[in-house]
């Protein structure tokens, strides 16, 4: 059941050739913990460029990372961020904002949201590329798990605004499923604590902020909120992780990850 749910999650969260079956989809939408489980796979793949950290210039590693994010995850979640960006600049009631999100026209809110997040992600990756490779990889993986944990959090605490992906995932989920999702994310959090722990925990905090905003402005969450949560949590988690490492973990040196793990 768990492996089937994870396959369904990877089919939705990535462009990996895992196949798309109704059984996998049903298992996925009923298992919020599948989100962070898939985060380990996605995070491991997009972290591969950081194996070259210290060997190649940091901007080259950063560009390779950004490219890998697009290749592995596609643009589905970025589209959700763009739609929320357009909704954020609209003056109107929740129904009017949701109408704007369904409009295929790209507005200034979408451009600003996508541009800001892409620039912020590039800067975070550039900072990570200056760290020891093991540290950078741990932070990138934990940021991806944190991003998927943000989506799981929305599934467990969110209030759907309308029928669609959001209501499908939210129905039947609750605090117990959130605890399971948090438990799944623990390994990513303890690899290089406190840096990776801070990165992972950033995800649920971003989800809480998005849920609160969506409840007020959109009447609840929909599929676009999940995509936006993924993109915003990834960039926030990576910045928080790099900053925490710089403030607290740097004295451990190149083998800081292993030192934390074995201590």
């Amino acid at each position: 059941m768990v492996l089937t749910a994870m396959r369904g999650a990877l089919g939705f969260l990535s462009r990996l050739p895992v196949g798309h079956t109704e059984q996998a989809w049903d298992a996925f939408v009923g298992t919020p913990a599948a989100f962070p489980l898939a985060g380990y796979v996605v995070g491991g793949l997009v972290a591969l460029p950081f194996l070259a950290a210290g060997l190649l210039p940091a901007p080259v590693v950063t560009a390779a990372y950004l490219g890998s994010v697009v290749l592995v995850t596609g643009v589905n979640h970025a589209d959700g961020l763009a739609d929320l960006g357009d909704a954020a600049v609209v003056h109107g009631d929740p129904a009017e904002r949701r109408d704007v999100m369904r409009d295929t026209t790209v507005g200034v809110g979408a451009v600003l949201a996508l541009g800001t997040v892409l620039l912020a992600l590039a800067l975070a990756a550039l900072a990570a590329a200056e760290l020891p490779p093991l540290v950078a990889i741990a932070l990138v993986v934990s940021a991806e798990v944190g991003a998927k944990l943000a989506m799981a959090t929305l599934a467990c605490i969110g209030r759907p605004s309308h029928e669609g992906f959001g209501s499908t995932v939210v129905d039947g989920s609750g605090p117990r499923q959130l605890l399971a999702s948090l438990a799944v994310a623990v390994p990513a959090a303890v690899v290089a604590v406190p840096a990776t722990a801070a990165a992972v925990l950033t995800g649920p905090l971003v989800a809480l902020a998005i849920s609160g905003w969506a409840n007020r402005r959109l009447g609840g969450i929909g599929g676009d909120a999940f995509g936006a949560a993924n993109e915003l949590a990834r960039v926030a988690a990576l910045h928080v992780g790099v900053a925490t490492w710089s403030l607290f973990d740097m004295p451990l040196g190149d083998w800081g990850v292993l030192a934390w793990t074995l201590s």
Side-chain angles (χ1 to χ4, degrees):
M1 178 67 175
V2 174
L3 291 178
T4 303
M6 185 173 176
R7 184 158 60 87
L10 288 172
F12 175 75
L13 298 170
S14 76
R15 301 177 70 244
L16 299 177
V18 295
H20 300 274
T21 66
E22 184 176 351
Q23 181 185 15
W25 173 258
D26 291 341
F28 160 53
V29 298
T31 312
F35 281 105
L37 274 176
Y40 286 97
V41 177
V42 174
L45 291 173
V46 301
L48 288 176
F50 290 92
L51 290 171
L55 298 176
L56 296 177
V60 174
V61 175
T62 298
Y65 165 69
L66 295 177
S68 69
V69 169
V70 175
L71 287 174
V72 174
T73 66
V75 299
N76 188 35
H77 309 311
D79 182 65
L81 174 64
D83 286 341
L84 248 68
D86 276 340
V89 300
V90 171
H91 297 288
D93 60 29
E96 291 174 312
R97 291 176 187 268
R98 293 197 300 271
D99 286 340
V100 168
M101 293 168 66
R102 287 190 287 267
D103 193 334
T104 57
T105 303
V106 177
V108 64
V111 173
L112 183 60
L114 289 172
T116 301
V117 169
L118 180 60
L119 177 60
L121 185 62
L123 291 174
L126 188 63
E130 299 284 358
L131 301 177
L134 287 176
V135 175
I137 290 171
L139 290 178
V140 169
V141 173
S142 64
E144 205 64 44
V145 172
K148 305 307 181 274
L149 183 58
M151 301 175 86
T153 302
L154 282 184
C156 295
I157 69 168
R159 184 184 73 203
S161 60
H162 59 281
E163 292 294 324
F165 173 78
S167 62
T168 300
V169 177
V170 170
D171 289 345
S173 298
R176 182 176 300 178
Q177 286 79 7
L178 180 56
L179 288 177
S181 300
L182 290 168
V184 166
V186 167
V190 300
V191 174
V193 288
T196 49
V200 169
L201 291 176
T202 297
L205 295 178
V206 170
L208 289 173
I210 290 177
S211 179
W213 179 85
N215 287 340
R216 294 191 304 272
R217 303 298 185 184
L218 304 174
I221 64 170
D224 289 327
F226 281 86
N230 182 77
E231 300 302 298
L232 293 172
R234 177 194 290 122
V235 67
L238 194 52
H239 272 287
V240 169
V242 170
T244 304
W245 176 269
S246 300
L247 291 172
F248 300 107
D249 296 330
M250 191 180 294
L252 293 175
D254 288 351
W255 298 98
V257 173
L258 294 180
W260 272 112
T261 302
L262 297 175
S263 62

